[in-house]
Amino acid sequence: MSEASTEDPTRAGWSFDHSYARLPQAFHARVNPTPVREPRLVIFNPTLAISLGLDPEALRGDEAAAVFAGNRLPEGADPIAQAYAGHQFGHLTRLGDGRAILLGEQQTPDGRRYDIQLKGPGRTPYSRGGDGRAALGPMLREYLISEAMHALGIPTTRSLAVVTTGEPVFREEPLPGAILTRVAASHIRVGTFVYFAALGDIEGLQRLTGYTLQRHFPDRVGSGNPARALLESVLERQASLVAAWQCVGFVHGVMNTDNMALSGETIDYGPCAFIDAYDPEAVFSSIDHQGRYAFGNQPQIVGWNLARFAEALLPVLHADPKQGVALAQEVIAGYPERFRSHWLTGMRSKLGLFTTEPEDDTLIGDLLDHQRAERADFTNTFRELDPLAPADASMADWYGRWTSRLARQSQSPEEVTRLMHSRNPRIIPRNHRVGEALEAAVRKSDLAPFQHLLAALASPYVETRDSARYTEPPPPGSAPCRTFCGT
Ligand code: AMP
Ligand code: MG
């Protein structure tokens, strides 16, 4: 941390609008963060601050911790908690921001708009039995992995800061309390639509449809049926997002409909994890007993969530329910193909393929089957693929097919390598390294391993002398990683 700035962190370039707070009462509840005892800045993201039009110098010191803790509101804030519902492991529940408060929508100098949300700022009208608080470990985890996803080039919410509160939170044991400042294109979820559908509030649905289209898909405003345009646009973004997850081995862990942002950003880094060995059945979350959200199920779950989204939209898709259903089915039927197309494009790039051939599908599938049989490390296998290096005996046949395939396109070996190295990361947030870094931060107040890992993850495609430490899979025989929702 640099020396405390004399500048006022409540006037550090904040430029809030409140378009969501202007929506009718049913959408949200006005609520202020509950002040905490002793805010301390743990980590701050100056690069993100700058891109938001904020002055990082004014946001570094302990004065700023008061802002990121909700003790002092930035100029122009109008805090609300948002209403939503969600299918949790398939079951519909009424939720809402039980431990999150939106301060406002930051308008950036280049004309973008981002929600600035505190996660863990105290109770809201939607807290149900919860304390509205968050623990340091899970908030640092979200900071680390969301920033890693961003560096990988995958759409995601971002993390601006984490502060400790000076107050314990009580989970299985007392833990240091913390608050994350999350930055998102918006927090509108499938569950937001589900909420109004469940209430039978068609006017609310109409309002939300228009609002979401305007906010995330302005090109589609005025193009015929708004609900259909929204469904198509969201489907496309979700297909692209989950394909990107599958290409880097990311397991979200809790793909409930309330954790699926319509912006197409990855959101809610609770029990997520990256796979080491390739395994479509990989599950890390301690509460996902049935493997509903297993790695290989994710594309299908996105399809299921999109079907719930379409269902919620029915009353606004068409005044005649039968025609509404027909419209919804027609759009949703396109999902498997859209996913597959994004996935194939991603996988082709990982293999250095610039052109398309019908056999590519089999080529990719056979490599994955091989990885599965050998329990080979997903990330390292792709990164170490080299058409010029001799193949391992067990892969000789596959290598032969792959190199012949490469020979049937005109790109040079250098171009192939460049493409592959830009799509096959060297460094991902491996569970055992994330675990070590969080353990040191939480138990020993030693942030060095966290900072070091965070720095490495900022350039995941670059080979550095430092990176070796983060490229090794966990030692054989180590206990499988278990993740928790952090609630
Ligand atoms: P999540 O599993 O983090 O997506 O959270 C699911 C729901 O539980 C959301 O409505 C959260 O706001 C709510 N929730 C999670 N943790 C807490 C907490 N500690 N206090 C109040 N509400 C919470
Ligand atoms: Mg959530």
Side-chain angles (χ1 to χ4, degrees):
M1 213 187 301
S2 72
E3 59 191 278
S5 164
T6 49
E7 288 157 75
D8 180 353
T10 66
R11 313 171 64 139
W14 300 106
S15 169
F16 285 129
D17 186 33
H18 300 284
S19 63
Y20 203 86
R22 284 195 296 273
L23 290 170
Q25 177 91 64
F27 284 78
H28 46 68
R30 285 212 152 57
V31 56
N32 280 319
T34 306
V36 298
R37 197 183 302 150
E38 200 184 348
R40 286 253 182 281
L41 197 57
V42 178
I43 187 143
F44 168 67
N45 192 335
T47 320
L48 177 58
I50 291 166
S51 78
L52 290 168
L54 298 170
D55 173 9
E57 294 316 313
L59 292 172
R60 277 180 205 277
D62 279 338
E63 292 276 295
V67 170
F68 293 126
N71 283 18
R72 293 181 71 194
L73 290 178
E75 194 174 57
D78 182 6
I80 58 167
Q82 295 179 335
Y84 55 85
H87 298 82
Q88 299 190 300
F89 290 90
H91 304 286
L92 181 60
T93 319
R94 212 157 149 172
L95 300 161
D97 286 332
R99 58 155 173 179
I101 291 178
L102 176 66
L103 297 179
E105 300 148 19
Q106 172 73 3
Q107 304 167 102
T108 68
D110 57 353
R112 290 165 302 140
R113 171 186 300 260
Y114 288 99
D115 277 9
I116 306 293
Q117 191 200 60
L118 301 182
K119 192 168 170 182
R123 290 178 52 79
T124 77
Y126 309 108
S127 294
R128 299 173 291 160
D131 60 4
R133 293 297 184 191
L136 178 59
M139 294 306 100
L140 283 177
R141 199 160 192 286
E142 170 154 348
Y143 189 107
L144 187 78
I145 302 188
S146 64
E147 289 305 301
M149 290 290 268
H150 173 72
L152 285 165
I154 298 175
T156 176
T157 63
R158 304 282 310 271
S159 298
L160 184 60
V162 173
V163 294
T164 46
T165 60
E167 298 173 7
V169 295
F170 298 95
R171 299 297 182 249
E172 261 109 61
E173 54 183 327
L175 296 167
I179 298 171
L180 169 83
T181 303
R182 175 156 75 180
V183 178
S186 86
H187 286 84
I188 305 167
R189 310 140 191 270
V190 167
T192 317
F193 282 77
V194 170
Y195 177 82
F196 287 98
L199 290 177
D201 181 350
I202 297 177
E203 215 179 295
L205 277 174
Q206 242 146 11
R207 209 50 203 270
L208 187 59
T209 301
Y211 179 88
T212 310
L213 204 57
Q214 178 71 55
R215 184 151 174 186
H216 295 301
F217 310 100
D219 297 354
R220 297 294 304 267
V221 171
S223 62
N225 181 333
R228 184 189 176 126
L230 183 62
L231 182 57
E232 286 170 352
S233 310
V234 167
L235 182 150
E236 186 58 24
R237 292 246 177 118
Q238 289 294 326
S240 158
L241 179 66
V242 72
W245 292 354
Q246 300 312 106
C247 286
V248 296
F250 176 76
V251 184
H252 182 282
V254 60
M255 295 169 66
N256 297 334
T257 53
D258 52 306
N259 292 335
M260 186 167 167
L262 298 193
S263 62
E265 291 179 340
T266 311
I267 192 170
D268 226 321
Y269 291 87
C272 65
F274 281 72
I275 55 171
D276 293 295
Y278 175 71
D279 177 8
E281 282 161 34
V283 174
F284 298 97
S285 170
S286 58
I287 58 168
D288 190 358
H289 306 295
Q290 314 288 324
R292 177 181 170 89
Y293 299 135
F295 178 58
N297 281 357
Q298 297 189 124
Q300 191 196 321
I301 289 290
V302 165
W304 192 88
N305 288 344
L306 286 167
R308 302 291 78 75
F309 182 47
E311 229 165 61
L313 281 172
L314 284 178
V316 286
L317 269 168
H318 206 285
D320 170 19
K322 266 207 186 123
Q323 294 198 52
V325 170
L327 265 178
Q329 283 172 342
E330 187 192 325
V331 178
I332 290 294
Y335 169 71
E337 195 284 315
R338 293 311 302 143
F339 164 72
R340 209 150 172 79
S341 161
H342 285 291
W343 183 81
L344 271 172
T345 303
M347 281 296 179
R348 280 196 179 100
S349 304
K350 287 174 82 71
L351 292 184
L353 303 180
F354 287 82
T355 55
T356 66
E357 286 186 12
E359 293 298 300
D360 292 346
D361 214 343
T362 319
L363 188 69
I364 297 162
D366 289 350
L367 177 61
L368 293 176
D369 287 347
H370 171 83
Q371 285 185 30
R372 187 179 195 179
E374 302 283 316
R375 294 201 57 73
D377 187 81
F378 180 74
T379 302
N380 290 349
T381 304
F382 276 103
R383 181 70 184 202
E384 284 156 17
L385 283 177
D386 179 354
L388 303 175
D392 165 292
S394 70
M395 282 188 75
D397 167 66
W398 186 88
Y399 247 76
R401 285 156 58 207
W402 177 49
T403 48
S404 317
R405 171 68 179 83
L406 288 172
R408 291 196 296 275
Q409 60 182 19
S410 61
Q411 281 73 17
S412 68
E414 292 72 34
E415 286 172 286
V416 168
T417 304
R418 209 174 313 128
L419 176 63
M420 291 178 68
H421 283 187
S422 71
R423 298 302 158 85
N424 294 316
R426 194 72 187 121
I427 306 172
I428 53 156
R430 290 185 186 269
N431 305 315
H432 62 299
R433 294 302 180 208
V434 173
E436 278 170 13
L438 295 183
E439 184 81 13
V442 174
R443 308 270 171 215
K444 295 189 227 143
S445 301
D446 174 10
L447 225 37
F450 181 90
Q451 296 278 16
H452 203 258
L453 177 56
L454 182 68
L457 289 167
S459 311
Y461 297 102
V462 181
E463 188 92 54
T464 65
R465 219 178 312 149
D466 252 15
S467 51
R469 176 178 167 73
Y470 300 119
T471 62
E472 290 156 23
S478 39
C481 164
R482 305 267 280 157
T483 58
F484 303 90
C485 280
T487 51

